[in-house]
Amino acid sequence: MSESGQAIFDRRIESEQKVEPKDWMPADYRKNLIRQMSQHAHSEVIGMQPEGNWISRAPTLKRKMVLLAKVQDEGGHGLYLYSATETLNATRDEMNEALHSGKAKYASIFNYPALSWADVGAIGWLVDGAAIVNQISLQSTSYGPYSRAMIRICKEESFHQRQGYEMMIVLANGTKEQKAMAQDALNRIWWPSLMMFGPHDSDSAHSGRSMQWKIKRRTNDELRQSFVDQTVPQIEFLGLEMPDPEIKWNEERGHYDFGEIDWDEFKRVISGDGPCNRDRIRHHKKAHDDGQWVRDALVAYQTKKSAASAA
Amino acid sequence: MTNSTNTALFNYVLGLADDALILGQRTSEWCSRGPFLEEDIALSNLALDYIGRARMFYQYAAQIQGMGKTEDDLAYFRDEREFTNLVINELPNFDFAFSIVRQYLLDVHACLYLEQLSNSKDQRLSEIAAKAIKETRYHLKRSETWVLQLGQGTEESAKRMQDALDELWGYTPELFISSEAELALSGEEGEASIAVNRESLRHLWLERVTAHMLTSGLVIPEQNWQVVGGRNGDHSEHLGHLLSEMQILQRSYPGLEW
């Protein structure tokens, strides 16, 4: 008698083998993956907007090129992730619709505005830095296409993170105005960056099962602590003030302590009431709607062409 | 090199730099606004090629000028009357059809132009052209395909493409007018020259564009109006807004490192 799909799946997960698109998988595993991966793809794509906001105003031609290339990379990451999600039989149209209706979420950090040129540096440094901490752990996620997408994305993200930090170094060592710009960006972006890791483990709705299925490999709180530990010395090196007065080395724990996140704000922004939620979706939806005639024309052209070649 | 040749060469290279920067800046506005993600990425790539090209020209222009200026001084500290890009480059992206038709018209032109520039007597210009033409051949493949697909797509797409072509047509004569600097740097008939003779490209350009538009179901408009003058600093009102946005940080905090 052949082994059941469930038994094969369980053994794969147990022995750290990857689950591939054609393998049998539990319906909830598939559903959970589609949720997490499409959310990840949307985050990359919506994440093009805050930094994209500065492409036209980048202060040098070189910076303009670096930023444009970075935002373009994010679009590329969105594309790998949408493609990886499509292997689970989710379509791009469905995913777009879920984004526009608010059913699908994306990283809440992108609901905050990029208000100064220093934000471009701080986003690269902190937001990409936080994303890397999360994504490194996802390189060993149990679903093959997701894992491979993460390996590829991590390489580019760490490059972006270094570029962002390099921008911060220039600003932190610049004039009084530039340094103030850098400090202000750090102060505003710090807390939303910590929120990127999600709720405390004790409050995380999806964490338990995702860990069991090895979709997620480390908990929200563990990842958040790693991020704080790697970032505090970088703030010191920049000579900027700590964005949180409670940041302090804890000898006993071997980690930095830090203050409590404003979880009310976290919930507010996630549920749609952040400073830019409406702008982000409106922008994406407008581009999508404006492009409808283009996509229709491509379909019509292909249909005509195949009709002609069949005749 | 005589003083007047030097000035002509500076003005010539600066004009080419301005063309590339202004079109690159316009194209970059598509980033996160494309009709679908793949095209969004492709348009960002196109913008990157143009800004990269602008930098090569500006660096060379700054070197010819010999006043210790940088590419950024030239890009960020000149006003609209001093910018000498051709007007077609500065027009807003009214819709996707407009940007695609403009790109196609310019790609056909750039292929012809850069082929000649790669034979320039000026070594640096010929090197830049040799690099740029590789990108431009690829741009042309893309824009040519778009023109065909949208021209033969739906009724709406065909109409938008035709409208864009009608709107753009009067800006194309400027592509074939040689500036003073270009005339000064052109050799006698049959002689090697530094600059490209723009008039000489007109015939081939029109032939190629006409043939492809016909295949794509689009009609070449009558040439009964034209807007020219970009090389003399006579621009549309759109350029000032583009520059004020692009230059804001450098103008607000002059002389800083970024």
Side-chain angles (χ1 to χ4, degrees), chain B residues 139-201:
Chain B
H139 301 163
L140 177 60
K141 255 187 213 165
R142 258 179 47 79
S143 61
E144 208 167 48
T145 307
W146 268 121
V147 168
L148 181 70
Q149 290 174 327
L150 296 178
Q152 294 194 3
T154 59
E155 209 174 300
E156 182 183 1
S157 70
K159 180 174 184 318
R160 282 176 184 265
M161 293 297 278
Q162 186 63 55
D163 287 350
L165 184 59
D166 294 348
E167 285 295 302
L168 279 155
W169 198 247
Y171 294 95
T172 59
E174 197 180 6
L175 296 171
F176 307 102
I177 300 173
S178 292
S179 66
E180 264 177 55
E182 282 167 321
L183 290 174
L185 299 170
S186 296
E188 296 294 316
E189 189 76 33
E191 248 183 58
S193 111
I194 293 175
V196 174
N197 179 332
R198 288 181 171 264
E199 281 86 354
S200 70
L201 308 176

Side-chain angles (χ1 to χ4, degrees), chain A residues 45 48-49 54-65 68-69 71-72 75-76 78-79 82 92 117 170-171 175 177-178 181 283 287-288 291 293-298 300-302 304, chain B residues 21 25 28 31-38 40-41 44-45 47-48 51-52 55 58 71-72 75-76 96-97 146 148-150 152-154 156-157 160 245-246 248-250 253 256-258:
Chain A
V45 170
M48 295 167 78
Q49 291 182 37
W54 281 92
I55 292 171
S56 65
R57 293 175 289 172
T60 70
L61 296 182
K62 189 175 170 200
R63 292 284 185 204
K64 190 189 289 291
M65 284 188 78
L68 192 49
V71 176
Q72 185 198 29
L79 204 53
Y82 282 128
R92 196 92 79 84
W117 174 250
V170 172
L171 293 172
T175 62
E177 287 95 342
Q178 286 174 310
M181 224 182 253
H283 179 120
H288 188 74
W293 71 268
V294 180
R295 299 191 301 276
D296 290 345
L298 285 183
Y301 177 79
Q302 290 306 333
K304 279 181 204 171
Chain B
L21 177 60
Q25 175 82 359
S28 76
C31 185
S32 84
R33 294 180 181 84
F36 46 91
L37 189 52
E38 288 83 345
D40 213 304
I41 294 169
S44 302
N45 219 29
L48 272 170
I51 296 165
R55 291 183 63 200
Y58 281 128
E71 59 183 57
D72 291 324
Y76 288 88
F96 187 70
W146 268 121
L148 181 70
Q149 290 174 327
L150 296 178
Q152 294 194 3
T154 59
E156 182 183 1
S157 70
R160 282 176 184 265
E245 189 173 335
M246 186 179 84
I248 176 82
L249 274 174
Q250 285 283 359
Y253 306 96
L256 304 190
E257 293 291 317
W258 295 95

Side-chain angles (χ1 to χ4, degrees), chain B residues 62-74:
Chain B
Q63 187 193 322
I64 297 163
Q65 192 186 27
M67 290 168 63
K69 288 194 182 175
T70 67
E71 59 183 57
D72 291 324
D73 293 328
L74 294 174

